[in-house]
Amino acid sequence: MKTKLFIIFILISSSLFANEIKIYAPVAQQMLIDKNNYVRYSSLNMFDNNSDTVYAVTFDEIDTKKALLEIYFSEPAEFERISIKAGYFDNQYFEKNNRIKNLQLQIYNCKNLETKKEISLQDKMTEQDIFSSERIIATKIVIYVSSVYPGTKWNDLVISDLNFFLKGKRLPVSFDIGKCVNCATYRTYEYDNKDRIIHEYVALGKSGCVDNYYKYEDDKIFYASMWDGQAPTNKDFSIIDVVKRDSDKNVELIFSNNLPVAQKYERNTDFYINQYIYDDKNKIKATIRICENSNWSKKYTKYIYNSKGQIKEINDYDFAAF
């Protein structure tokens, strides 16, 4: 009996942390922008185990006193080692771009700073460890870069890959919401028999909720916005040109092959960039924050569809406050 109980305990213990790294936001302070492809140098590229795709930033444009990267895990991540491929891992480009010389790594478990390390990297086109110790549990890692080996042609700082290991094996990486996030904003949509939006419900956390209503008469659209469950009257509706949503304001959509690949939201001098993630049917299943030079907090947005392929829910998630 004791043997059976021991085996059950081992099975339960080993299932508490998946042998996988789940990320819901790899947020960069800045990123290099290719105007033909906004996400060419996305921070997501560090986790595909493909050195041909890279995260890149112009070194002079970052504030070295602030974190270059904040990587939020969607559930507690278990690992023993982190390695980095610093630079473009191609002989014809490696020395032409900047490579990391000195960095600081911080590993958090909830609000607890578990470890803080100053690391100097060798200027070699080889994978190098930035953390190697006993097993650690983390909800977030933060990377500061203070100096670089200068490139011979470009001032771009490049990271090809960031890998996590447990028991000597590289862990696969996926992107999703999970145990370390709260739903910050929740939206639902209703449609009429002509597939037009007639009601949008928006829950704004502790700020309350908003109901947006739409009516369609004589090829005209009428709109009313009501707070905290109030029902609209005829006088609350006003005529508008198009169905609008809060997120439409100041948003630049970036397209590739006729599909939106990212959105850039600007406010004064602040901005953030969200990258779209598609399912196998070319429907947006999520947007992930890849860059932010402000303190705006939403990091992961999940899209849910009804049987007709219409958006039924949009849920914004944020790092949980512990």
Side-chain angles (χ1 to χ4, degrees), residues 29-35 38-39 61 247-255 260-276 287-293 296:
Q29 179 193 140
Q30 293 273 7
M31 59 182 271
L32 182 63
I33 299 298
D34 180 340
K35 292 185 178 180
Y38 246 62
V39 297
E61 293 182 1
S247 61
D248 293 336
K249 188 176 181 181
N250 298 325
V251 175
E252 178 187 359
L253 283 177
I254 293 89
F255 289 82
V261 293
Q263 55 178 258
K264 183 178 182 182
Y265 190 112
E266 295 189 54
R267 181 177 62 192
N268 300 323
T269 59
D270 292 341
F271 71 88
Y272 65 71
I273 297 173
N274 287 341
Q275 183 171 340
Y276 289 110
T287 63
I288 296 177
R289 182 68 49 81
I290 59 171
C291 186
E292 175 178 80
N293 75 337
W296 298 344

Side-chain angles (χ1 to χ4, degrees), residues 30-146:
Q30 293 273 7
M31 59 182 271
L32 182 63
I33 299 298
D34 180 340
K35 292 185 178 180
N36 295 317
N37 181 356
Y38 246 62
V39 297
R40 179 180 179 183
Y41 300 111
S42 164
S43 52
L44 294 182
N45 292 337
M46 292 184 292
F47 306 101
D48 61 3
N49 197 34
N50 179 1
S51 297
D52 291 333
T53 60
V54 303
Y55 162 67
V57 60
T58 301
F59 182 66
D60 286 349
E61 293 182 1
I62 69 170
D63 184 346
T64 57
K65 295 180 180 179
K66 296 180 180 179
L68 173 63
L69 295 164
E70 293 184 79
I71 299 164
Y72 297 84
F73 300 114
S74 60
E75 61 182 51
E78 177 188 19
F79 53 83
E80 295 168 337
R81 184 163 69 93
I82 305 174
S83 71
I84 192 170
K85 291 184 177 179
Y88 210 127
F89 271 44
D90 185 313
N91 285 318
Q92 62 178 322
Y93 298 122
F94 181 74
E95 292 186 353
K96 292 179 180 178
N97 294 282
N98 294 331
R99 291 85 61 201
I100 297 174
K101 184 176 182 180
N102 292 300
L103 66 84
Q104 182 189 98
L105 173 69
Q106 298 178 3
I107 300 177
Y108 288 83
N109 189 347
C110 300
K111 288 186 177 180
N112 299 319
L113 178 58
E114 295 292 328
T115 188
K116 180 178 176 180
K117 296 183 65 177
E118 303 288 341
I119 299 150
S120 295
L121 296 179
Q122 295 179 316
D123 192 19
K124 295 181 178 180
M125 196 171 66
T126 184
E127 190 168 2
Q128 301 178 61
D129 287 350
I130 59 173
F131 176 79
S132 182
S133 185
E134 297 179 352
R135 181 181 71 98
I136 195 169
I137 305 299
T139 55
K140 178 178 73 168
I141 68 171
V142 180
I143 294 176
Y144 293 78
V145 174
S146 56

